[in-house]
Amino acid sequence: MSSYSSDQQVANATADAQMVPTTQRARLTGIQAEGASGSKIIFKSGGASGTAIATFEFGSEGIDFYVPGSGILFDEGIYLDLTATPSVTITFT
């Protein structure tokens, strides 16, 4: 019998939010977002005025995205800036 362990964590937001504290380094490994016309999500490192690391634009189909490899690195937390997006859930390490 095998046992598995993972340091994956999950966070959800329905508005702009600091999803991982700026004092914490994190790797974004998965994104799920409910869509609407003109949906856009921007992930930043260093808070609301920090550096944009990844931007995703989509419509009513939403997004369900697994980040390959080791994920996207954020040295100073993960801040979510969203537009016309009802809900975003991320997985990160």
Side-chain angles (χ1 to χ4, degrees):
M1 186 163 245
S2 298
S3 71
Y4 299 92
S5 64
S6 174
D7 57 357
Q8 291 284 324
Q9 296 181 46
V10 178
N12 178 269
T14 56
D16 294 0
Q18 186 69 47
M19 298 186 85
V20 178
T22 58
T23 57
Q24 184 178 332
R25 186 173 183 248
R27 289 186 181 272
L28 182 63
T29 58
I31 306 158
Q32 291 182 319
E34 184 179 346
S37 179
S39 289
K40 181 177 182 178
I41 52 179
I42 302 170
F43 293 101
K44 299 178 181 181
S45 182
S49 61
T51 303
I53 303 294
T55 301
F56 297 88
E57 295 182 19
F58 49 95
S60 58
E61 72 279 4
I63 189 171
D64 187 359
F65 183 72
Y66 166 75
V67 182
S70 298
I72 302 170
L73 177 62
F74 291 77
D75 285 323
E76 298 177 282
I78 300 175
Y79 182 84
L80 171 67
D81 180 350
L82 55 83
T83 302
T85 308
S87 177
V88 176
T89 299
I90 64 168
T91 54
F92 63 95
T93 57

